[in-house]
Amino acid sequence: MAEIDGSCRVPLFLMFVSGAIWLVIASIFGLIASLKFHMPDLFANCAAMTYGRVHPVATNALIYGFGVQAGLGVALWVIARVGMTRAAQPWLIALGAKLWNFGLLVGVIGILAGDNTGFENLEIPRYGVVFLFLGYLLMAIFILATLHNRGERLLVPSQWFLLAALFWFPWIYFTANYLLLSHTPVRGITQAVIAWWYSGNLNLVWFGLVGLAVIFHFIRQLMNRPLYSRHLAAFTFWSIILFASWCGVPATAPVPAWIPSLSTVATVLTVVTALSVMVNIRKTCGTGCAQTENPAPGKFIAFGTMAFVVAWFLNALGAVPGVRSVTGLTWYGVGVWELNVFGFFTMTMIGAIYYIVPQVTGMQWPSVGSPKRHYWFALLGVLLIVAPLVIGGVVQGLNWRNVKMSDLDVAKNAVKFLRVTTIGEVFILLGNLMLLGNLIGLSVRYYKLHFVPVYKGALAEVKTAGVKP
Amino acid sequence: MKSSTNQPVSNAPQDLGAKDPVVPVWLIVVCFLLLYWGAVYFDERGGWFSTQVYTPYVSTEQLNTIAAMQGPPDPRVLGAQVYGRTCIACHQGNAMGTPGTFPPLAGSDWVNEKEAGRMIRIVLHGFGGPGLVVKGQPFSTASVMTAFGSPPLVGLTDEEIAAVITYVRGNTEWGNHAAPVTPEQVKAIRDKTSSHSQSYTPAEIMTVNPAD
Amino acid sequence: MRHGPLVFLAAFFALSASWFGFVLTPQVQLGRSVQETNSVMKAELYPNDRPGNARQGLEIYRANGCVYCHSQQVQQNGMLVNVVLTDAGKNTMAVADLLNEEHLGNFSGPSVGAGLPKTILTNASIDVATVLAKNVKTAGGVTQLRLVPVGPDIERGWGTRLTVAQDFVADATALPGSLRVGPDLANEGGRHRDLNWQYVHLYNPGAVTPKSPMPAYKFLFEQKKIGKQASPDALQLTGELKPAAGYEIVPKAEAKALVAYLVSLNSDTPLFEAPLTPPAPAKSTNAPAK
C-alpha cells in the first residue's frame, strides 16, 4: 500500500502544489473581477486588468489550473489504489503536468495581453492549447496504463467513470480548439454552437464523471462500506453520457430551433442523474458517516456531494421553459456554474487532496486544525457566492422582462447582489491560501525530514573521505 | 476505534457477492416521463431539424404563410438572386464582364434598348459568334453564352428570366435605365422562337426587331 | 470485465452522438452559409461586410472580453399582425359594413375611404388577421398586413426581430454571449450612433449612464496636448472629467475601431426565417411600399 502511494508521490506533489497555486491565482483574479463591478475605475488605465481579461483568467485558472490538473492527480491515485498497482511511469506523468502548467501559463499571459479567443472556457489562445493538449495526453496515457496494470480485472464504478472521462476530454478539447482556433475555423454561429457544446461537456460531463468517481471512492474509503448499488451507479453513468453530453446550448441561442430544443430536453433530463446519485449516497450513508480522526476530507466530500445534487437540480430547473424565460442569460446560470465547478468539483478535489497527501508522504499537515478551518471558510465562501447569484439572477430576469425598468436600473439592481458575492470571494481566497500554505508547509517538513539528513550524511561522508567539499 | 482511513479499499468479489440493489422503479418511471415530455417538446418546438425554423416559429409552413401574407416579393429580389446564382460567374458582380471574353452589362446599349426583344432572345437561346462589339470593345468568338431558356439543368422559368432582365435593365448603379420586362413578354417570345434551337449569333440578332 | 468491449463501444457511440448532433450537423447545416440575397425587402446582400475599421473593432471587442457582459441575441416571443386598409374599393358600403360587423369602428360608406391608408386592426394573431384580410378582399377592398414581432427584448428597443444565424455570417468570430449584465448589443448601431456618446461611454460609463457598473476603459484613450486646434474626435467631456486646460482626450486607434464596430451593429433586415415589416420608406418609389 505504501509502495503504491509512494509511486504516485512525485506526480501528485507536482500536480497538487501547482493546482493549489493556480487556485490562489484564480481566486485573486476572481476577486479583482468581482471588485470591478463596485469600483468601475479600478485599474481603468491598465489594458491587462480590464474585466474582460481578468475574468477569463480567473475561470481558466480555476478550470484548467486546478480543476483538470487536480482531477487527474486524484484520478491517478484512485486508479492506483483501487487497482492495487503502482503508478506507471510517474516521472512522465510529472512531465505531462509540467507541460500542462507551461501551456496554461503561456495561455494566461496571452489572455492578459489581449489574445483572448472570446469563447467561454476556451479562451486560451492557440499557442497555449498545444502544450495543454500534449501535457494532457502524456498524463492520461500513463494513468490509463496504470489502470491497465491493475490486479483485479473487474472494474468498480469509480473506474468506469474515470475511464470514460479520460477518453472524452481529449476528444472534446481537440475538436473544439481545432474547429475554432485552427487556420481554417468553422464560420458563423457554428463557432458558438461548438463552444457551447464543449462548455457543457467539460462542466457537466467531465467534471461530473471525475467528481463522482472520487466521491464514490471516498465514501468507501472513509466509511469502509461499499457503494449501495452498482446498478444505480451504472444508471448514473449512462445518464451522464447520454443526457449531459447534449447540454450547454442556451434556449435563446440564435440558431435553428432544433439545437436549443435538444439541449433543453437533455438538460431537464439530467435531473435523473442528480436523483440517482442522491439515492445511492443516501442509502450508502444510511445511519450517518463513520467518525475518523481526520474529519476534514469527509466534510469537503460530503459538501461536494450535496453541491452536486443541488447544482444539477438547479441546472435542470433553469432549462424548464417557464423558468428559463426568467433565468436565461442572467446571473442564475453563473451561480449554478460556480456551485458546480467550485462547490462540487473543487471542494471534492480539495477534500481528496487533504486525504491523499498525508497518505502519499506519510506526514501530517503542519497545523492539525487547518483543513477544518479551510472547510468553514470555503463553505461560507461558496454559500455567499452562489446564493446571491442565483437569487439575483432570478430578480434580474424578472427585471429584464419588466419593460418599464431601464437597462441601467436593471444592471444597478443586479450589482447589489454582487456585493455579497464579492465578500464570498474573499473567503474563498483565504481558504485557498490556507490550502497552499498547508501544502507548502508539509512539503517543507517533508524536505527537512527526508532530504536534509541525506544531504548532511553525504556531506559527512565526503568530509571523512578527506575530500574538500 | 481503529482508524479506517488506512485500509485498502477492496473491490474484491466479496464486495459484489451480496445482491446488488436494482435501480428504484420510481426513478425509471421519472426517467420515462421526462423522455415523453422531451419528445413532445421537441415535436412542438424543435422545428424538426429545419435550418429555417427559429423559436418562436414552429414550422416552415408557418413561415411560408407569413411570407405569403406580405404579398409578392419585390421582383428585384428575385432578379438579384438569379443574377447572383447564374450571371455573376461571367458578367461579374459589377456587371463589367471580362475584357475580350465576357461583355459588360453596365451601361451597355444592348441592355438599354427601348424594347427588350433581343435581350430576351439572348437569354432564352444563348449567344455567341464573331463580330460582337459592345461599347466599342470587340469580344472573342470563342466564348458562347449558355441558353438559359430550358429547364431543368441551367434553365430559368419565365418569371426568373423576366426578373433578372428587369433587374439588369433597371439597375441604376450600373448605369442602366431601361424599362422592366414582364413574364408574359418572355413567354410570348419563347413561344415565338420555340423552333430556334441554336444560339444566336451577333449577325443574326441584329436582324431581329427588338419590339417583336 | 465481461462485457468490457461492448460497454466501451456503447459509451463511445453514446458520446459520439452528441458530437454528431452538435458539431457535425450544425457545421453541415450552417457552416457553409454565405452572404445571401435573401433579404425579403431589398435586393441586397445580407449581411453586408462590415467596413474595415469595424472588422478590427470586432477583434478589440473579442480581446477585451465585452462578450462576458453583453449578448448579441435578440429574442422574440411571438408575431402579431396589424391590418392596414389601403383601398376601400368601389363598394365602400360593403367594406364599411364588414368592419362595423367586426366591431372595428363605426364606419359609413364615405368615412371608410377617408384617410387611407389606415390601420383597422392592431396586434391581432396571424389567423385572425388573415381571415379579416380575406373578408375585406371579398368585399372589394385591399389590405396590407404588417408584421409586428413582440417580446420583452423588442419592447426594450434592443431590436426589431429575433437574431438568427445569418446575422453572424459576415463576422470572423461569432460572439452571441451568454450573460446580460448590460443591454443586448445586436442593434447598438441603431440606438447610439453618436460617436462622441460612444467614446465618452467607453471612457467613463458613469458620465453618460450614472452609477453604471460597467468598468471604465480609459486605456483605450490618451491625453494629448491640444495642437493648433482641437482634434475632431476629441471627447467632449463635462464637469470634473474634463482634462486640464490645454489637454484633450483622444481615442486611440483601438477605441475608434471598437466604436466603428459598435455603430455597425444592425440586424433589422427582414429575412425569410425572421420576418418583419419594416417601416414604410419616406419617399414613394416604384417598388411596392410595404
Side-chain angles (χ1 to χ4, degrees), chain A residues 79-350:
Chain A
I79 284 178
R81 270 276 186 119
V82 173
M84 308 286 270
T85 175
R86 307 164 59 118
Q89 305 297 348
W91 288 94
L92 285 178
I93 301 182
L95 175 63
K98 278 222 177 284
L99 276 175
W100 179 269
N101 282 315
F102 177 71
L104 187 58
L105 182 65
V106 163
V108 160
I109 294 176
I111 293 178
L112 290 174
D115 284 339
N116 181 355
T117 64
F119 301 113
E120 282 200 61
N121 300 155
L122 283 166
E123 288 97 343
I124 307 277
R126 195 162 54 212
Y127 42 83
V129 165
V130 175
F131 289 104
L132 282 167
F133 189 65
L134 288 174
Y136 178 87
L137 281 182
L138 211 52
M139 291 189 276
I141 285 175
F142 292 106
I143 297 179
L144 285 172
T146 311
L147 181 64
H148 181 71
N149 289 343
R150 65 188 183 282
E152 170 65 46
R153 300 313 292 178
L154 199 60
L155 290 174
V156 288
S158 298
Q159 288 167 310
W160 319 326
F161 281 58
L162 289 174
L163 188 58
L166 285 169
F167 273 110
W168 190 224
F169 183 84
W171 186 341
I172 57 176
Y173 197 66
F174 179 78
T175 304
N177 280 296
Y178 182 71
L179 291 176
L180 295 176
L181 303 182
S182 69
H183 289 288
T184 48
V186 295
R187 291 207 323 254
I189 201 69
T190 324
Q191 298 172 348
V193 175
I194 292 175
W196 281 319
W197 169 80
Y198 171 81
S199 196
N201 271 289
L202 178 71
N203 288 304
L204 291 176
V205 178
W206 202 85
F207 283 152
L209 285 173
V210 176
L212 284 177
V214 172
I215 288 176
F216 286 162
H217 176 83
F218 274 96
I219 292 215
R220 304 158 54 121
Q221 185 81 48
L222 295 175
M223 300 185 0
N224 210 18
R225 56 178 101 160
L227 199 59
Y228 170 68
S229 165
R230 271 172 72 99
H231 286 122
L232 257 181
F235 183 85
T236 306
F237 178 76
W238 289 108
S239 68
I240 292 183
I241 288 198
L242 282 170
F243 301 142
S245 56
W246 292 79
C247 298
V249 180
T252 55
V255 287
W258 67 269
I259 299 176
S261 300
L262 284 178
S263 204
T264 303
V265 170
T267 314
V268 172
L269 275 164
T270 58
V271 77
V272 302
T273 312
L275 284 171
S276 64
V277 167
M278 201 171 74
V279 169
N280 217 350
I281 306 282
R282 282 264 307 273
K283 288 271 163 76
T284 309
C285 281
T287 51
C289 304
Q291 287 300 314
T292 71
E293 74 244 12
N294 185 9
K299 281 183 141 76
F300 276 100
I301 291 176
F303 181 78
T305 317
M306 284 188 287
F308 173 82
V309 173
V310 174
W312 283 53
F313 260 122
L314 287 177
N315 189 37
L317 186 64
V320 171
V323 178
R324 150 193 97 211
S325 50
V326 173
T327 64
L329 296 179
T330 62
W331 288 108
Y332 178 90
V334 177
V336 171
W337 181 88
E338 283 276 352
L339 186 60
N340 187 47
V341 173
F342 200 90
F344 155 59
F345 192 76
T346 305
M347 295 281 271
T348 305
M349 292 304 137
I350 292 178

Side-chain angles (χ1 to χ4, degrees), chain A residues 254, chain C residues 50 58 61 67 70-74 163 168 171 175-178 180 184-187 261-262 265:
Chain C
R50 297 194 197 278
L58 173 57
Y61 186 91
V67 73
H70 291 285
S71 61
Q72 286 184 21
Q73 33 177 302
V74 175
T163 312
F168 294 94
D171 288 333
L175 296 169
S178 58
R180 282 174 178 164
D184 190 277
L185 296 181
N187 284 289
Y261 170 71
L262 291 173
L265 283 168

Side-chain angles (χ1 to χ4, degrees), chain C residues 87-144:
Chain C
D87 185 351
K90 295 200 178 60
N91 188 1
T92 56
M93 272 311 293
V95 175
D97 285 338
L98 170 68
L99 294 182
N100 293 340
E101 261 173 38
E102 302 273 351
H103 304 287
L104 293 172
N106 209 350
F107 295 104
S108 62
S111 78
V112 82
L116 293 182
K118 65 180 171 213
T119 310
I120 46 179
L121 181 60
T122 50
N123 293 345
S125 75
I126 296 176
D127 302 323
V128 167
T130 354
V131 164
L132 178 62
K134 205 162 59 120
N135 291 342
V136 170
K137 189 164 165 203
T138 321
V142 175
T143 49
Q144 271 177 19

